[in-house]
Amino acid sequence: MATERSVAEGRIAWTRRHMPVLVETMAEFSVRRPFEGITVGFRLHIEPKTAVLIETLIAGGARIIAMGNDGTTQFGTAEALSSPKCEILDRPGDGPEAALANLDQIASAEPDLVLDNGAELIVACLGGGRPPRGATEETTSGSFLLRERHAGQIEFPIIVINDSPLKSIVENKHGVGESVVDTVVRVTNVSFHKKHVVVYGYGWCGKGIALYADRRGADVTVVEVDPIKALEAAMDGFDVADSTTAAATAQIVITATGRPDVVDFDVIEKMPDGVLLANAGHVDTEIAIRTMERAAPGIQLAPSLKRHDLPNGKSVFSIADGKIVNLAADGGIGNPIEAMDLGLTLQARSLAVLIDPTLDLQPGPQAVPDAVNARVAAAVLRSMGQQPAGPRG
Ligand SMILES: NC(=O)c1ccc[n+]([C@@H]2O[C@H](COP(=O)([O-])OP(=O)(O)OC[C@H]3O[C@@H](n4cnc5c(N)ncnc54)[C@H](O)[C@@H]3O)[C@@H](O)[C@H]2O)c1
């Protein structure tokens, strides 16, 4: 009988097959051993794609002490990874207090390198003890915390992965765009053809969502507060409107701004009967789902799909309670594996750069080095059977 662990092992094997760039890096690291004698404090969702990253670091000689992010640890994957080289601290049922204790435990182990998603582990490592030699931070919000609240306090280099133009293009635009639209279709089983889809935010994620909705035949309107981004949306062929105008005829609404209170309840009340609401941003308050819940408690129709019968007689449908849809919806498996092949290879190579004795990196948050971006971009192109033109001359 299949166990949680054996299912996870199968899923990791499938995932590894679709991460050719990270697997190529794993082969190189297993010879070069850049992390020999190095302990990596690791805080990122523990799931099959990050499992292949952990395998890559271990192949390079690292010892890992890890925890997931915000209760996202998949315990079958954690079990499959556990070994003398990899300790995963999360336990089923852990709450916020256990997560804080795990942060402290990793910081107290004085890791040589830190890989973080949200910067709380990096901040925990600032509190005395031997500082790490370097760190990577996955997110923009983590980099804000480091650049604003902890400016001047950081004595080691931190490479901010989200600042890489490659990640914006492959992961935020195409990975999020494809997986968000796919998840909405999978949860609802409705087609996008000729639906009026309103996308809030035309940053990297919003651009991708608008693009993939368009590719599925939707009529897309963009609501964007930045006039330059709004102009870009218009030049890309989408209608651009203010929230109230766009919402008046919306059939599917998807938010991707990362800001709270973007779609207020009074705007929802003006939307047509039957409108479907989903959020792709990290905060679950972009759409006023909680206010709507108070006025019209959701009736569960299917996993991750609720109907709200508003006092004005209209019915509104919400997916995953307004949480980040491609991860939080039932069966949400996040960005496609290939998109994460790129992002997690940037992580692996950036960690190696941080301890490269030939480089002298400045302390504090900084971008992924150009040489790493160029190398990973070329490798991803090759994995797609494409190649750059190479230098002129
Ligand atoms: N779903 C996923 O898997 C996933 C992956 C990566 C990032 N994200 C999240 O998606 C969100 C957007 O990320 P991004 O990389 O596109 O950010 P971004 O900064 O590139 O884009 C956000 C856009 O929203 C616009 N905006 C802000 N407030 C607005 C409002 N009230 N109405 C309309 N537009 C508004 C901004 O002007 C900006 O253009 C963030 O929360 C990010 O963390 C989700």
Side-chain angles (χ1 to χ4, degrees):
M1 204 185 73
T3 62
E4 214 180 330
R5 177 182 179 143
S6 67
V7 170
E9 283 169 348
R11 186 55 87 169
I12 294 169
W14 169 257
T15 302
R16 203 185 291 117
R17 218 187 143 81
H18 294 276
M19 299 187 96
V21 182
L22 192 54
V23 167
E24 188 181 280
T25 308
M26 193 186 315
E28 179 199 316
F29 282 3
S30 68
V31 176
R32 194 157 64 83
R33 305 279 288 174
F35 304 116
E36 197 67 69
I38 295 284
T39 296
V40 178
F42 184 104
R43 177 170 169 267
L44 191 56
H45 314 292
I46 304 288
E47 47 80 51
K49 290 166 264 193
T50 54
V52 184
L53 172 61
I54 288 178
E55 290 176 344
T56 303
L57 302 179
I58 292 174
R63 188 178 83 84
I64 310 286
I65 174 164
M67 64 184 288
N69 241 170
D70 308 325
T72 52
T73 294
Q74 296 179 10
F75 289 99
T77 303
E79 219 187 307
L81 283 170
S82 291
S83 76
K85 284 289 203 175
C86 179
E87 184 185 4
I88 295 182
L89 303 181
D90 305 305
R91 296 289 169 266
D94 274 358
E97 279 179 20
L100 280 178
N102 291 343
L103 276 179
D104 279 349
Q105 188 175 335
I106 299 179
S108 312
E110 299 186 343
D112 304 285
L113 290 173
V114 170
L115 182 157
D116 203 356
N117 185 36
E120 284 94 345
L121 179 57
I122 295 174
V123 170
C125 292
L126 299 177
R130 180 174 62 97
R133 288 167 64 182
T136 56
E137 167 52 43
E138 177 76 7
T139 66
T140 310
S141 44
S143 79
F144 289 156
L145 182 71
L146 297 167
R147 287 183 166 124
E148 290 163 14
R149 205 167 321 151
H150 296 279
Q153 296 171 14
I154 299 164
E155 30 182 318
F156 49 87
I158 301 173
I159 296 181
V160 180
I161 306 296
N162 207 56
D163 286 354
S164 164
L166 266 68
K167 182 176 182 283
S168 302
I169 296 166
V170 175
E171 210 181 299
N172 293 31
K173 181 176 177 184
H174 289 277
V176 173
E178 188 173 6
S179 70
V180 163
V181 171
D182 271 2
T183 306
V184 172
V185 171
R186 198 158 354 101
V187 168
T188 61
N189 204 13
V190 299
S191 164
F192 270 51
H193 282 281
K194 299 316 287 176
K195 293 279 184 341
H196 182 207
V197 174
V198 178
V199 178
Y200 282 75
Y202 204 68
W204 287 105
C205 295
K207 275 182 222 183
I209 294 164
L211 175 69
Y212 283 83
D214 180 62
R215 285 185 179 173
R216 281 185 177 258
D219 295 326
V220 177
T221 299
V222 170
V223 178
E224 167 59 66
V225 290
D226 176 341
I228 298 171
K229 303 258 181 72
L231 173 62
E232 187 181 0
M235 294 304 289
D236 288 344
F238 301 116
D239 286 332
V240 173
D242 66 80
S243 178
T244 316
T245 309
T249 53
Q251 291 171 288
I252 299 173
V253 169
I254 306 177
T255 50
T257 70
R259 303 283 171 194
D261 309 321
V262 171
V263 180
D264 293 332
F265 185 52
D266 60 339
V267 174
I268 296 175
E269 284 181 301
K270 295 190 184 91
M271 291 180 187
D273 180 50
V275 68
L276 182 66
L277 307 176
N279 164 49
H282 264 286
V283 292
D284 64 2
T285 50
E286 286 204 34
I287 303 175
I289 299 281
R290 286 181 200 147
T291 312
M292 181 164 73
E293 269 288 335
R294 285 194 289 276
I299 298 160
Q300 195 84 42
L301 299 181
S304 307
L305 182 62
K306 284 185 181 167
R307 190 185 78 226
H308 305 259
D309 297 326
L310 304 190
N312 66 10
K314 297 178 193 171
S315 292
V316 169
F317 297 83
S318 66
I319 302 185
D321 297 319
K323 298 196 174 83
I324 184 167
V325 65
N326 54 333
L327 287 162
D330 189 60
I333 46 179
N335 291 333
I337 300 171
E338 292 84 348
M340 298 311 294
D341 188 23
L342 177 135
L344 298 180
T345 303
L346 287 176
Q347 278 282 9
R349 290 210 173 272
S350 295
L351 285 171
V353 159
L354 288 164
I355 48 169
D356 183 334
T358 66
L359 300 173
D360 184 22
L361 301 180
Q362 295 301 305
Q366 54 204 278
V368 174
D370 289 345
V372 173
N373 279 325
R375 181 176 186 161
V376 175
V380 172
L381 272 171
R382 276 198 309 277
S383 78
M384 299 161 81
Q386 312 294 309
Q387 52 186 346
R392 281 198 297 166

